Amino acid sequence: MTEAATTAHALPLDIAEVAPERDLMSKFDGLIAEREALVRSGVRNPFTIVMDEVKSPTQAVIRGKDTILLGTYNYMGMTFDPDVIQAGKDALDKFGSGTNGSRMLNGTFHDHIDVEQALRDFYDMTGAIVFSTGYMANLGIISTLAGKGEYVILDADSHASIYDGCKQGNAEIVRFRHNDVTDLDKRLGRLPKEAGKLVVLEGVYSMLGDIAPLKEMVAVAKKHGCMVLVDEAHSMGFFGPNGRGVYEEMGLTDQVDFVVGTFSKSVGTVGGFVVSNHPKFEMVRFACRPYIFTASLPPSVVATAATSIRKLMTAHDKRAQLWKNARAMHAGLKAMGFKLGTETSDSAIIAIILTDQEQAIAIWQSLLEGGLYVNMARPPATPAGTFLLRCSLCAEHTDAQVATILTMFEAAGRAVGVID
């Protein structure tokens, strides 16, 4: 008999018989009740949308209806680029559908080496490491760089993958108020001068589309002897002269130590990466658990990424069209009276702030039924008490589509009572 069994039988019989079994799934009862209430109210589930067919970066069929896409991160519209698609088909024919192993074993193919070289060329950096997703890139690099006795300092509104990267490691975690340079300076000033410190920032914050005051923040970080990591997931491709991100736009190419990005947005496929000029950077591969202990991306995926990244290096017309679309959309919504997440058109993300979940769902459903898909976001993805519709512009949206989108928002906003 095991020790556990002996202990159980040592309990008084009545206690052993009545002790309830803990149901680990009971913590989801609140979510179940919320979903059931939505169904009873006649609202279609806004958190699970099935694409029946995708016709282009800006058009799909959802629930049998032709729909304009305004809720993807396909900023540069690369998913249907003929060269990108052909690269994936060629790799699929040559290498098959998957790698069946990690990069440290049998999972490194020709195209993994090629995409990392494409990243080095794109960012003009000496080191590049590709992960299976952008989430895994943050999880891996943050937990590997900062260890016991060291510090990670992050913006309070940081992405979940940044928070989880902090939890995965053993470093002390310090948060500062969102985009608050003074608070960052104050908190860094309280930390031991001799300790290793990593300041983690984002170029564009994904919920409201606001950009970080990187120039001031990086200056403060360097004053306190910190290394700096910037997540440029929502700016790669169209910020800066070469599309490298907000840090390039602000002239910080020689001051940022690590740049994290993803293939699932402007690149148009899936995967994540970190690039750096640090001479020891490539050693991260041999210590990073999320890199070592997971299967590598299929060759067809990294082949599409490499082709897309190289095309983004000269995608000047696409960048211009994306900014034109974003500015027209922001100006149009603001003129109608919608409350927006930013006063000016700072990025390709435009957030429409609403009063509560009921109002957010009502306008979201009205738009979807009219043939427009946007994202609805709520806590915990957004700050407490914040409900919004998040629009993501694409370089492939035509002027006519932008005009149609604005007309649809005006009709839905008036019908729901969001605008007069």
Side-chain angles (χ1 to χ4, degrees):
M1 184 177 294
T2 66
E3 181 180 349
T6 303
T7 303
H9 282 289
L11 293 172
L13 185 60
D14 57 340
I15 295 178
E17 288 177 345
V18 301
E21 180 180 331
R22 171 62 178 166
D23 184 354
L24 296 175
M25 301 300 288
S26 62
K27 64 175 68 71
F28 303 116
D29 289 349
L31 287 174
I32 293 170
E34 184 177 356
R35 286 173 62 90
E36 289 176 345
L38 285 174
V39 172
R40 286 196 300 272
S41 69
V43 173
R44 293 182 174 183
N45 183 6
F47 305 111
T48 306
I49 291 296
V50 178
M51 304 280 179
D52 301 322
E53 180 186 357
V54 180
K55 297 181 176 181
S56 76
T58 63
Q59 292 182 298
V61 177
I62 299 176
R63 295 169 179 165
K65 184 179 184 63
D66 285 338
T67 303
I68 298 174
L69 297 175
L70 193 64
T72 77
Y73 293 134
N74 198 1
Y75 298 125
M76 297 295 280
M78 298 302 289
T79 50
F80 278 81
D81 181 273
D83 296 329
V84 171
I85 291 173
Q86 190 60 53
K89 289 179 177 179
D90 292 344
L92 194 63
D93 290 339
K94 188 173 182 179
F95 294 108
S97 60
T99 62
N100 304 103
S102 77
R103 288 288 303 275
M104 301 300 289
L105 297 174
N106 64 295
T108 295
F109 290 26
H110 168 273
D111 290 306
H112 295 93
I113 304 300
D114 189 46
V115 75
E116 287 177 342
Q117 187 56 52
L119 286 167
R120 293 185 190 99
D121 295 339
F122 184 89
Y123 285 96
D124 192 25
M125 292 196 184
T126 57
I129 301 175
V130 167
F131 292 80
S132 58
T133 63
Y135 176 96
M136 293 290 278
N138 271 327
L139 194 71
I141 192 65
I142 295 170
S143 62
T144 304
L145 286 176
K148 189 173 182 179
E150 298 171 329
Y151 293 84
V152 179
I153 304 92
L154 71 158
D155 189 292
D157 285 3
S158 291
H159 190 267
S161 62
I162 293 173
Y163 272 102
D164 290 351
C166 293
K167 293 176 184 177
Q168 175 97 353
N170 294 317
E172 297 291 327
I173 303 168
V174 178
R175 296 191 303 174
F176 63 91
R177 288 192 293 272
H178 178 54
N179 277 351
D180 191 325
V181 179
T182 301
D183 194 41
L184 171 62
D185 191 18
K186 179 177 69 175
R187 293 178 187 276
L188 287 175
R190 295 171 179 169
L191 301 180
K193 294 186 184 301
E194 67 279 3
K197 295 179 281 288
L198 177 69
V199 174
V200 180
L201 307 167
E202 295 180 59
V204 176
Y205 286 86
S206 62
M207 282 298 120
L208 298 182
D210 53 327
I211 64 175
L214 283 186
K215 184 170 288 189
E216 295 81 1
M217 286 184 164
V218 171
V220 166
K222 293 302 178 181
K223 181 182 78 171
H224 290 280
C226 306
M227 299 190 85
V228 177
L229 181 153
V230 180
D231 185 328
E232 296 282 10
H234 292 276
S235 58
M236 178 191 181
F238 54 98
F239 270 89
N242 299 288
R244 294 169 185 162
V246 175
Y247 83 100
E248 184 191 37
E249 179 86 8
M250 296 188 178
L252 301 171
T253 53
D254 60 343
Q255 298 176 59
V256 170
D257 300 282
F258 309 96
V259 176
V260 173
T262 180
F263 296 157
S264 63
K265 297 175 175 58
S266 288
V267 179
T269 180
V270 66
F273 62 88
V274 187
V275 294
S276 175
N277 271 328
H278 196 285
K280 300 178 183 178
F281 176 67
E282 289 288 334
M283 291 301 100
V284 169
R285 297 182 195 272
F286 302 98
C288 181
R289 294 172 67 87
Y291 175 85
I292 297 169
F293 297 105
T294 190
S296 64
L297 288 166
S300 56
V301 169
V302 286
T304 60
T307 301
S308 179
I309 290 165
R310 290 190 172 106
K311 296 195 75 168
L312 288 176
M313 294 175 76
T314 56
H316 307 298
D317 291 343
K318 276 181 172 287
R319 290 176 202 157
Q321 184 64 40
L322 176 57
W323 281 114
K324 178 184 177 184
N325 291 342
R327 287 164 183 149
M329 182 79 179
H330 189 282
L333 292 172
K334 186 176 182 179
M336 291 176 198
F338 284 101
K339 181 181 179 181
L340 305 182
T342 57
E343 281 299 311
T344 57
S345 180
D346 296 326
S347 71
I349 298 170
I350 300 173
I352 298 172
I353 311 298
L354 300 164
T355 57
D356 52 40
Q357 179 165 286
E358 289 72 24
Q359 189 182 67
I361 289 176
I363 191 170
W364 173 87
Q365 182 159 290
S366 176
L367 290 168
L368 185 63
E369 290 174 351
L372 177 64
Y373 173 73
V374 299
N375 288 312
M376 196 196 89
R378 44 156 279 179
T382 61
T386 303
F387 299 87
L388 56 86
L389 297 181
R390 183 177 56 181
C391 308
S392 303
L393 276 299
C394 175
E396 294 297 311
H397 281 123
T398 64
D399 294 348
Q401 282 179 319
V402 172
T404 299
I405 289 167
L406 288 171
T407 298
M408 296 170 79
F409 261 105
E410 184 172 25
R414 293 187 189 284
V416 176
V418 177
I419 57 175
D420 298 327

